[in-house]
């Protein structure tokens, strides 16, 4: 570790790094881009636990149907936009991928060019353990439904984890009890202040960067849209080290004041999924000005899902060595 650090340090611009983080820097441990997604993620052909009108397909099917497409610098994950569905048959083909590795203390930077848009869509980039959920906690980094901006970042836990009312964040807190049993798993959500953080506005703007820092004493999520001049250089260029202490006030901040993160959060996978309708998007559908009912729309209007795709430039993971 000492030896590795001594190799890495000369490559840095020291002025961008604070003294404290020099002692324990976040070092790039995974760059996941383009075809690299195949090495770092598993395709999960499972039933949607949130009852969406989707069928998650395996990797082979996803490639055959071009629901997963990778070039050297782009990774696309989408739902089918060609098939009219039998209302009595299975849901629209879609993709759910889960990182092979799990992470505890880490920083992850997601460079996202396009996110799924369209009535009925419920995309998510999130982290969880998946064994005995919600053991190990759940952190939603990017999530929303039916094109309703802004983005929300949310944590879900077992009973005993709450968030303080006043926190150093630019977003707006919702519920403060993160217990999944309270209000049907609402969790501790924070709405981002930026209109460009979700859906059609995000896409029209060329997307942007989401970043998470998770430690034993806090979880923070930041967002910069593609046009934002204040995006930190280490985020924008994917340098070997990052220093979240220099990133400014996060959009969402979850401190450990009344939540022992070492108890409620464990080894988590990164999951990227796109479901349609289901518990959240389906229930919220009526209030969004979307046509017909969610299920009918998904069944009968494949062409409405041509924009229902992620295009991800890269995911960079940083850890303490
Ligand atoms: C998709 O992501 C959301 C993230 O909040 C999660 O609640 C839901 O269970 C996921 N669906 C599937 C099938 O993984
Ligand atoms: C598959 O999807 C990619 C990304 O959207 C697109 O560039 C490509 O043309 C598609 N390939 C086929 C055969 O449709
Ligand atoms: C919060 O984190 C700090 C530093 O890791 C620790 O000393 C403190 O006990 C934690 N508080 C709770 C409630 O877990």
């Amino acid at each position: 570790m000492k030896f590795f650090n001594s190799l890495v340090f000369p490559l840095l611009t020291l002025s961008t790094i604070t003294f404290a983080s020099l002692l324990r820097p976040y070092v790039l441990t995974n760059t996941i881009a383009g075809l690299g997604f195949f090495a770092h993620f598993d395709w999960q052909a499972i039933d949607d636990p949130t009852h969406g009108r989707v069928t998650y397909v395996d990797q082979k099917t996803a490639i055959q149907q071009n629901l997963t497409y990778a070039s050297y610098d782009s990774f696309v994950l989408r739902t089918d936009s060609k098939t009219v569905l039998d209302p009595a048959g299975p849901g629209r083909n879609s993709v759910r991928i889960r990182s092979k590795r799990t992470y505890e203390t880490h920083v992850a930077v997601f460079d996202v060019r396009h996110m799924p848009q369209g009535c009925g869509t419920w995309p998510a980039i999130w982290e969880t353990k998946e064994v005995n959920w919600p053991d190990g906690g759940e952190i939603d980094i990017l999530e929303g439904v039916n094109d309703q901006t802004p983005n929300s970042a949310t944590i879900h836990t077992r009973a005993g984890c709450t968030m303080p009312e006043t926190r150093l964040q630019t977003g707006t807190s919702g519920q403060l009890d993160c217990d999944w049993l309270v209000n049907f798993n609402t969790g501790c959500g924070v709405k981002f202040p930026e209109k460009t953080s979700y859906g059609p506005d995000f896409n029209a703007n060329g997307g942007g960067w989401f970043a998470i820092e998770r430690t034993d004493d806090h979880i923070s999520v930041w967002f910069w849209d593609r046009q934002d001049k204040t995006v930190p250089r280490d985020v924008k260029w994917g340098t070997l080290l990052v220093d979240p202490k220099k990133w400014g006030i996060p959009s969402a901040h979850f401190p450990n004041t009344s939540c022992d993160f070492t108890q409620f959060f464990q080894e988590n996978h990164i999951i990227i999924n796109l479901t349609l309708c289901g518990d959240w998007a389906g229930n919220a559908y009526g209030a969004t000005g979307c046509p017909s009912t969610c299920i009918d729309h998904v069944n009968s209007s494949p062409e409405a899902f041509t924009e229902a795709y992620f295009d991800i430039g890269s995911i960079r993971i940083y850890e303490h060595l």
Side-chain angles (χ1 to χ4, degrees), residues 18-318:
T18 58
F19 180 71
S21 56
L22 260 181
L23 300 175
R24 266 203 109 196
Y26 281 111
V27 181
L28 184 63
T29 52
N30 286 150
T31 298
I32 308 172
L35 296 161
F37 276 83
F38 293 113
H40 287 281
F41 280 85
D42 290 316
W43 271 241
Q44 297 183 287
I46 57 168
D47 286 338
D48 182 351
T50 51
H51 317 108
R53 186 74 183 120
V54 290
T55 302
Y56 285 123
V57 298
D58 60 21
Q59 190 188 74
K60 191 166 156 235
T61 310
I63 294 170
Q64 268 166 6
Q65 300 185 357
N66 209 27
L67 304 180
T68 284
Y69 168 85
S71 67
Y72 80 99
D73 72 340
S74 159
F75 178 76
V76 172
L77 181 160
R78 61 157 59 97
T79 187
D80 165 72
S81 57
K82 299 202 170 109
T83 317
V84 174
L85 303 181
D86 172 358
R92 187 164 295 288
N93 283 356
S94 190
V95 180
R96 182 192 213 252
I97 61 173
R98 184 178 81 179
S99 64
K100 291 180 193 283
R101 265 207 59 194
T102 56
Y103 303 93
E104 292 192 273
T105 292
H106 69 290
V107 164
V109 178
F110 301 84
D111 179 347
V112 182
R113 299 195 186 105
H114 188 282
M115 76 167 69
Q117 90 178 53
C119 286
T121 55
W122 174 5
I125 297 180
W126 55 299
E127 302 188 349
T128 199
K129 181 167 127 177
E130 280 212 301
V131 181
N132 248 335
W133 182 92
D135 276 0
E138 170 177 332
I139 310 167
D140 305 320
I141 299 161
L142 178 166
E143 192 181 19
V145 294
N146 301 317
D147 290 350
Q148 304 291 297
T149 195
N151 184 57
S152 295
T154 307
I155 66 174
H156 305 263
T157 63
R158 288 213 179 272
C161 171
T162 61
M163 286 295 126
E165 185 111 39
T166 310
R167 287 127 82 175
L168 202 56
Q169 61 184 14
T170 60
T172 310
S173 304
Q175 184 173 296
L176 300 175
D177 190 339
C178 315
D179 178 0
W180 72 293
L181 292 172
V182 173
N183 285 327
F184 308 98
N185 191 28
T186 297
C188 291
V190 176
K191 279 191 175 183
F192 287 23
E194 302 89 1
K195 240 188 124 223
T196 50
S197 61
Y198 191 83
D201 290 318
F202 175 89
N203 292 335
N205 216 24
W209 296 266
F210 290 91
I212 178 177
E213 180 187 28
R214 176 187 155 195
T215 71
D216 280 350
D217 62 54
H218 68 274
I219 294 165
S220 296
V221 182
W222 289 262
F223 171 71
W224 301 271
D225 75 38
R226 195 68 67 194
Q227 317 304 328
D228 188 339
K229 299 271 188 303
T230 70
V231 58
R233 284 192 324 150
D234 46 3
V235 169
K236 186 168 181 180
W237 301 113
T239 48
L240 279 176
L241 305 190
V242 289
D243 185 2
K245 288 196 176 55
K246 294 238 166 151
W247 290 351
I249 299 174
S251 308
H253 184 64
F254 306 95
N256 78 340
T257 332
S258 48
C259 179
D260 181 353
F261 283 4
T262 59
Q263 177 193 341
F264 289 102
F265 288 86
Q266 292 151 19
E267 288 277 342
N268 284 347
H269 298 273
I270 296 170
I271 301 177
I272 304 175
N273 66 339
L274 168 54
T275 196
L276 303 172
C277 307
D279 295 343
W280 186 11
N283 292 340
Y285 193 83
T288 52
C290 284
S292 178
T293 65
C294 197
I295 302 279
D296 283 348
H297 181 64
V298 171
N299 289 345
S300 57
S301 308
E303 69 290 345
F305 295 93
T306 47
E307 291 294 308
Y309 68 91
F310 277 109
D311 181 350
I312 299 175
S314 63
I315 302 175
R316 289 195 162 80
I317 317 278
Y318 297 84

